[in-house]
Amino acid sequence: MSLIPDITELLARARADLRMGVPVVLTGEEGESVLAVAAETLSPARLADLRALGMPVIAVTGRRAETLKARAYDGDLARVLIPGFADLAWVQAVADPSDDLAQPMKGPLTTERQGSAALHRLAIGLTKSARLLPAAVVVAVADGRGFAVAHGLTCLDHARAAPHLGERSPLHEVAAARLPMEVSEAGRLHVFRPEDGGEEHYAVEIGRPDRDKPVLARLHSACFTGDLMGSLKCDCGPQLRGALAQMGEEGAGVLLYLNQEGRGIGLANKMRAYFLQDQGFDTVEANHRLGFEDDERDFRLGSDILKSLGFKAVRLLTNNPAKIAMMERTGIAVTERVPLKVGETAHNRGYLATKAAKSGHML
């Protein structure tokens, strides 16, 4: 029956639940089931409820476990036992590195090594996709589906849900209109919406680019602080304006504005990373301490939009070799890399150096 939510819709519902602090039920093979809630949005009352059900653990990524000096027996994650004395502040301190330097000793922490971590891995993936800290409090329950029905909770089956977290959702153009701009009166804005209920992405078309020739293009990740507030901590704002200006000068181009704030971790986590940077960590180290990888973005979205608009080849405005490689892998020819070296300040010199040294940016 079409009225029943499919797995994409259930995942969207689960992300919304986790952001509000509502638990979700995850079911796996051989009848195993767990109740999972995001550590970031957990409340004292719900922590007590989880404890009443059994022995909860907090699942953190391998990156976060490395900072905590916790053994990650599962490789990419660790299942940290929550001791009986631990309160909500203890749980959230394990998930959030904000006070790591003030209180470096969180342990010793004991981690599980027996049994499957598949449902814990799914729980972490859900918190990541919800733009929350990648940490979840998890406790085993019997008859997961029955538990979900009895308590009005979203229930996800691992075999159906896990593959979708690693896939990008198909994008569809939902609106487009003429947009005169400072750099060109011949502007047009296209809005693309993913099927999974995620954030929309935009394509700004300058002039009337010839679809049969390589188009001057840029994949620009949203940066509220740089693009809107004029932040001096990054070079994003100058890159955005510089790319648009060059397209205006040439009379044609397309800028893809992808809503992947903070290298794909969201604005709140980006601000947490900035706080860590103020403590002396570089941008990559800050991401790792939060539990993220160096870069969580999916540049394939840009390729999808370009193909939808009818482009087959680009002259790519970028300093990032990962974007060039992605374009080539996904069938968009990169005939030329156009450097975009703008916006260096005393405040972001170290940030740019880290991008060059650790992420291979061609600066």
Side-chain angles (χ1 to χ4, degrees), residues 211-241:
R211 266 58 174 174
D212 294 324
K213 295 180 180 178
V215 62
L216 182 64
R218 171 159 175 79
L219 275 66
H220 187 88
S221 298
C223 178
F224 172 80
T225 51
D227 298 344
L228 275 69
M229 307 307 295
S231 169
L232 301 177
K233 285 178 67 69
C234 65
D235 55 344
C236 302
Q239 285 189 326
L240 172 64
R241 290 180 282 278

mmCIF file of all heavy atoms in Angstrom, residues 211-241:
data_model
loop_
_atom_site.group_PDB
_atom_site.id
_atom_site.type_symbol
_atom_site.label_atom_id
_atom_site.label_comp_id
_atom_site.label_asym_id
_atom_site.label_seq_id
_atom_site.Cartn_x
_atom_site.Cartn_y
_atom_site.Cartn_z
ATOM 1 N N ARG A 211 26.020 23.988 -23.895
ATOM 2 C CA ARG A 211 26.091 22.629 -23.341
ATOM 3 C C ARG A 211 27.069 21.743 -24.108
ATOM 4 O O ARG A 211 27.464 20.679 -23.614
ATOM 5 C CB ARG A 211 24.712 21.972 -23.361
ATOM 6 C CG ARG A 211 23.902 22.111 -22.074
ATOM 7 C CD ARG A 211 23.650 23.524 -21.644
ATOM 8 N NE ARG A 211 22.748 23.568 -20.481
ATOM 9 C CZ ARG A 211 22.445 24.668 -19.813
ATOM 10 N NH1 ARG A 211 22.982 25.844 -20.182
ATOM 11 N NH2 ARG A 211 21.627 24.628 -18.772
ATOM 12 N N ASP A 212 27.473 22.129 -25.294
ATOM 13 C CA ASP A 212 28.388 21.321 -26.101
ATOM 14 C C ASP A 212 29.848 21.691 -25.878
ATOM 15 O O ASP A 212 30.737 21.095 -26.496
ATOM 16 C CB ASP A 212 28.045 21.472 -27.592
ATOM 17 C CG ASP A 212 26.687 20.880 -27.922
ATOM 18 O OD1 ASP A 212 26.329 19.857 -27.315
ATOM 19 O OD2 ASP A 212 25.975 21.466 -28.759
ATOM 20 N N LYS A 213 30.103 22.662 -24.998
ATOM 21 C CA LYS A 213 31.472 23.075 -24.710
ATOM 22 C C LYS A 213 31.714 22.993 -23.199
ATOM 23 O O LYS A 213 30.763 23.078 -22.406
ATOM 24 C CB LYS A 213 31.711 24.503 -25.187
ATOM 25 C CG LYS A 213 31.619 24.688 -26.692
ATOM 26 C CD LYS A 213 31.875 26.144 -27.075
ATOM 27 C CE LYS A 213 31.781 26.338 -28.580
ATOM 28 N NZ LYS A 213 31.991 27.777 -28.949
ATOM 29 N N PRO A 214 32.975 22.838 -22.769
ATOM 30 C CA PRO A 214 33.267 22.833 -21.331
ATOM 31 C C PRO A 214 32.830 24.146 -20.689
ATOM 32 O O PRO A 214 33.170 25.229 -21.177
ATOM 33 C CB PRO A 214 34.788 22.658 -21.274
ATOM 34 C CG PRO A 214 35.155 22.013 -22.571
ATOM 35 C CD PRO A 214 34.195 22.592 -23.579
ATOM 36 N N VAL A 215 32.058 24.051 -19.609
ATOM 37 C CA VAL A 215 31.543 25.241 -18.942
ATOM 38 C C VAL A 215 32.442 25.593 -17.759
ATOM 39 O O VAL A 215 32.948 24.707 -17.059
ATOM 40 C CB VAL A 215 30.091 25.007 -18.460
ATOM 41 C CG1 VAL A 215 30.021 23.882 -17.434
ATOM 42 C CG2 VAL A 215 29.496 26.282 -17.885
ATOM 43 N N LEU A 216 32.654 26.875 -17.549
ATOM 44 C CA LEU A 216 33.368 27.328 -16.354
ATOM 45 C C LEU A 216 32.471 27.049 -15.154
ATOM 46 O O LEU A 216 31.352 27.569 -15.066
ATOM 47 C CB LEU A 216 33.678 28.820 -16.447
ATOM 48 C CG LEU A 216 34.477 29.421 -15.282
ATOM 49 C CD1 LEU A 216 35.878 28.811 -15.194
ATOM 50 C CD2 LEU A 216 34.581 30.940 -15.430
ATOM 51 N N ALA A 217 32.921 26.192 -14.239
ATOM 52 C CA ALA A 217 32.054 25.731 -13.163
ATOM 53 C C ALA A 217 32.788 25.711 -11.839
ATOM 54 O O ALA A 217 34.012 25.594 -11.784
ATOM 55 C CB ALA A 217 31.522 24.326 -13.472
ATOM 56 N N ARG A 218 32.020 25.854 -10.763
ATOM 57 C CA ARG A 218 32.565 25.704 -9.415
ATOM 58 C C ARG A 218 31.572 24.944 -8.549
ATOM 59 O O ARG A 218 30.367 25.210 -8.582
ATOM 60 C CB ARG A 218 32.859 27.060 -8.768
ATOM 61 C CG ARG A 218 33.216 26.915 -7.274
ATOM 62 C CD ARG A 218 33.980 28.064 -6.697
ATOM 63 N NE ARG A 218 34.179 27.888 -5.253
ATOM 64 C CZ ARG A 218 35.107 27.101 -4.705
ATOM 65 N NH1 ARG A 218 35.930 26.409 -5.484
ATOM 66 N NH2 ARG A 218 35.230 26.985 -3.410
ATOM 67 N N LEU A 219 32.097 23.986 -7.770
ATOM 68 C CA LEU A 219 31.328 23.332 -6.719
ATOM 69 C C LEU A 219 31.649 24.075 -5.431
ATOM 70 O O LEU A 219 32.776 24.015 -4.941
ATOM 71 C CB LEU A 219 31.732 21.861 -6.580
ATOM 72 C CG LEU A 219 31.065 20.838 -7.500
ATOM 73 C CD1 LEU A 219 31.472 21.097 -8.952
ATOM 74 C CD2 LEU A 219 31.494 19.432 -7.089
ATOM 75 N N HIS A 220 30.664 24.792 -4.896
ATOM 76 C CA HIS A 220 30.901 25.594 -3.695
ATOM 77 C C HIS A 220 30.050 25.057 -2.553
ATOM 78 O O HIS A 220 28.823 24.991 -2.659
ATOM 79 C CB HIS A 220 30.555 27.062 -3.958
ATOM 80 C CG HIS A 220 30.938 27.970 -2.830
ATOM 81 N ND1 HIS A 220 32.175 28.546 -2.727
ATOM 82 C CD2 HIS A 220 30.233 28.389 -1.741
ATOM 83 C CE1 HIS A 220 32.230 29.286 -1.626
ATOM 84 N NE2 HIS A 220 31.063 29.191 -1.008
ATOM 85 N N SER A 221 30.692 24.665 -1.469
ATOM 86 C CA SER A 221 29.961 24.181 -0.294
ATOM 87 C C SER A 221 29.500 25.358 0.547
ATOM 88 O O SER A 221 30.272 26.293 0.800
ATOM 89 C CB SER A 221 30.851 23.258 0.543
ATOM 90 O OG SER A 221 31.229 22.125 -0.196
ATOM 91 N N ALA A 222 28.258 25.316 0.975
ATOM 92 C CA ALA A 222 27.690 26.400 1.772
ATOM 93 C C ALA A 222 28.568 26.708 2.981
ATOM 94 O O ALA A 222 29.060 25.805 3.653
ATOM 95 C CB ALA A 222 26.284 26.028 2.238
ATOM 96 N N CYS A 223 28.759 27.985 3.237
ATOM 97 C CA CYS A 223 29.543 28.428 4.390
ATOM 98 C C CYS A 223 28.866 29.677 4.947
ATOM 99 O O CYS A 223 29.122 30.788 4.478
ATOM 100 C CB CYS A 223 30.982 28.714 3.988
ATOM 101 S SG CYS A 223 32.018 29.318 5.359
ATOM 102 N N PHE A 224 27.989 29.487 5.923
ATOM 103 C CA PHE A 224 27.264 30.615 6.497
ATOM 104 C C PHE A 224 28.221 31.684 7.009
ATOM 105 O O PHE A 224 28.032 32.881 6.764
ATOM 106 C CB PHE A 224 26.364 30.121 7.628
ATOM 107 C CG PHE A 224 25.708 31.219 8.428
ATOM 108 C CD1 PHE A 224 24.582 31.852 7.947
ATOM 109 C CD2 PHE A 224 26.238 31.625 9.644
ATOM 110 C CE1 PHE A 224 23.980 32.874 8.672
ATOM 111 C CE2 PHE A 224 25.649 32.643 10.370
ATOM 112 C CZ PHE A 224 24.515 33.271 9.889
ATOM 113 N N THR A 225 29.258 31.260 7.719
ATOM 114 C CA THR A 225 30.164 32.239 8.330
ATOM 115 C C THR A 225 30.967 33.004 7.284
ATOM 116 O O THR A 225 31.177 34.211 7.418
ATOM 117 C CB THR A 225 31.118 31.521 9.301
ATOM 118 O OG1 THR A 225 31.729 30.408 8.633
ATOM 119 C CG2 THR A 225 30.381 31.035 10.523
ATOM 120 N N GLY A 226 31.429 32.313 6.240
ATOM 121 C CA GLY A 226 32.241 32.986 5.233
ATOM 122 C C GLY A 226 31.420 33.682 4.164
ATOM 123 O O GLY A 226 31.677 34.835 3.816
ATOM 124 N N ASP A 227 30.395 32.996 3.650
ATOM 125 C CA ASP A 227 29.606 33.540 2.547
ATOM 126 C C ASP A 227 28.741 34.714 2.977
ATOM 127 O O ASP A 227 28.581 35.690 2.233
ATOM 128 C CB ASP A 227 28.694 32.452 1.962
ATOM 129 C CG ASP A 227 29.471 31.286 1.377
ATOM 130 O OD1 ASP A 227 30.685 31.432 1.150
ATOM 131 O OD2 ASP A 227 28.859 30.224 1.160
ATOM 132 N N LEU A 228 28.152 34.634 4.190
ATOM 133 C CA LEU A 228 27.215 35.655 4.639
ATOM 134 C C LEU A 228 27.817 36.640 5.634
ATOM 135 O O LEU A 228 27.504 37.825 5.595
ATOM 136 C CB LEU A 228 25.971 35.005 5.266
ATOM 137 C CG LEU A 228 24.856 34.593 4.314
ATOM 138 C CD1 LEU A 228 25.288 33.418 3.460
ATOM 139 C CD2 LEU A 228 23.595 34.250 5.068
ATOM 140 N N MET A 229 28.671 36.128 6.545
ATOM 141 C CA MET A 229 29.148 36.961 7.637
ATOM 142 C C MET A 229 30.528 37.548 7.391
ATOM 143 O O MET A 229 31.033 38.317 8.208
ATOM 144 C CB MET A 229 29.180 36.147 8.943
ATOM 145 C CG MET A 229 27.859 35.450 9.285
ATOM 146 S SD MET A 229 26.447 36.588 9.302
ATOM 147 C CE MET A 229 26.882 37.655 10.665
ATOM 148 N N GLY A 230 31.161 37.175 6.294
ATOM 149 C CA GLY A 230 32.483 37.722 5.996
ATOM 150 C C GLY A 230 33.565 37.218 6.925
ATOM 151 O O GLY A 230 34.520 37.937 7.231
ATOM 152 N N SER A 231 33.447 35.975 7.380
ATOM 153 C CA SER A 231 34.441 35.405 8.292
ATOM 154 C C SER A 231 35.836 35.453 7.688
ATOM 155 O O SER A 231 36.030 35.190 6.500
ATOM 156 C CB SER A 231 34.078 33.954 8.615
ATOM 157 O OG SER A 231 35.139 33.301 9.280
ATOM 158 N N LEU A 232 36.816 35.748 8.536
ATOM 159 C CA LEU A 232 38.223 35.768 8.124
ATOM 160 C C LEU A 232 38.915 34.452 8.437
ATOM 161 O O LEU A 232 40.104 34.300 8.151
ATOM 162 C CB LEU A 232 38.953 36.918 8.824
ATOM 163 C CG LEU A 232 38.402 38.321 8.576
ATOM 164 C CD1 LEU A 232 39.179 39.355 9.383
ATOM 165 C CD2 LEU A 232 38.439 38.668 7.092
ATOM 166 N N LYS A 233 38.177 33.480 9.016
ATOM 167 C CA LYS A 233 38.786 32.207 9.386
ATOM 168 C C LYS A 233 38.901 31.242 8.213
ATOM 169 O O LYS A 233 39.567 30.206 8.309
ATOM 170 C CB LYS A 233 37.979 31.530 10.511
ATOM 171 C CG LYS A 233 38.175 32.175 11.879
ATOM 172 C CD LYS A 233 37.324 31.492 12.932
ATOM 173 C CE LYS A 233 37.769 30.070 13.202
ATOM 174 N NZ LYS A 233 39.077 29.981 13.888
ATOM 175 N N CYS A 234 38.231 31.536 7.104
ATOM 176 C CA CYS A 234 38.306 30.672 5.925
ATOM 177 C C CYS A 234 38.368 31.551 4.678
ATOM 178 O O CYS A 234 38.293 32.776 4.753
ATOM 179 C CB CYS A 234 37.096 29.732 5.865
ATOM 180 S SG CYS A 234 35.521 30.581 5.634
ATOM 181 N N ASP A 235 38.488 30.920 3.524
ATOM 182 C CA ASP A 235 38.545 31.660 2.260
ATOM 183 C C ASP A 235 37.279 31.456 1.428
ATOM 184 O O ASP A 235 37.252 31.757 0.239
ATOM 185 C CB ASP A 235 39.775 31.242 1.454
ATOM 186 C CG ASP A 235 39.833 29.732 1.204
ATOM 187 O OD1 ASP A 235 39.110 28.986 1.893
ATOM 188 O OD2 ASP A 235 40.624 29.303 0.345
ATOM 189 N N CYS A 236 36.219 30.957 2.062
ATOM 190 C CA CYS A 236 35.006 30.581 1.327
ATOM 191 C C CYS A 236 34.299 31.775 0.687
ATOM 192 O O CYS A 236 33.907 31.725 -0.484
ATOM 193 C CB CYS A 236 34.044 29.842 2.254
ATOM 194 S SG CYS A 236 34.739 28.349 2.994
ATOM 195 N N GLY A 237 34.095 32.848 1.455
ATOM 196 C CA GLY A 237 33.408 34.016 0.917
ATOM 197 C C GLY A 237 34.123 34.596 -0.293
ATOM 198 O O GLY A 237 33.503 34.802 -1.353
ATOM 199 N N PRO A 238 35.439 34.871 -0.186
ATOM 200 C CA PRO A 238 36.162 35.367 -1.364
ATOM 201 C C PRO A 238 36.120 34.401 -2.542
ATOM 202 O O PRO A 238 36.061 34.831 -3.698
ATOM 203 C CB PRO A 238 37.589 35.543 -0.837
ATOM 204 C CG PRO A 238 37.413 35.818 0.621
ATOM 205 C CD PRO A 238 36.259 34.956 1.042
ATOM 206 N N GLN A 239 36.148 33.092 -2.270
ATOM 207 C CA GLN A 239 36.068 32.127 -3.365
ATOM 208 C C GLN A 239 34.713 32.190 -4.060
ATOM 209 O O GLN A 239 34.636 32.137 -5.292
ATOM 210 C CB GLN A 239 36.325 30.714 -2.846
ATOM 211 C CG GLN A 239 37.788 30.426 -2.548
ATOM 212 C CD GLN A 239 38.025 28.961 -2.250
ATOM 213 O OE1 GLN A 239 37.179 28.295 -1.663
ATOM 214 N NE2 GLN A 239 39.171 28.445 -2.651
ATOM 215 N N LEU A 240 33.650 32.309 -3.277
ATOM 216 C CA LEU A 240 32.307 32.409 -3.859
ATOM 217 C C LEU A 240 32.204 33.636 -4.747
ATOM 218 O O LEU A 240 31.781 33.550 -5.913
ATOM 219 C CB LEU A 240 31.267 32.460 -2.734
ATOM 220 C CG LEU A 240 29.830 32.750 -3.157
ATOM 221 C CD1 LEU A 240 29.284 31.644 -4.041
ATOM 222 C CD2 LEU A 240 28.936 32.952 -1.932
ATOM 223 N N ARG A 241 32.594 34.776 -4.197
ATOM 224 C CA ARG A 241 32.465 36.021 -4.963
ATOM 225 C C ARG A 241 33.443 36.071 -6.140
ATOM 226 O O ARG A 241 33.114 36.582 -7.212
ATOM 227 C CB ARG A 241 32.661 37.214 -4.024
ATOM 228 C CG ARG A 241 31.490 37.380 -3.039
ATOM 229 C CD ARG A 241 31.672 38.546 -2.097
ATOM 230 N NE ARG A 241 32.607 38.240 -1.020
ATOM 231 C CZ ARG A 241 32.278 37.582 0.086
ATOM 232 N NH1 ARG A 241 31.044 37.139 0.251
ATOM 233 N NH2 ARG A 241 33.175 37.358 1.033
#
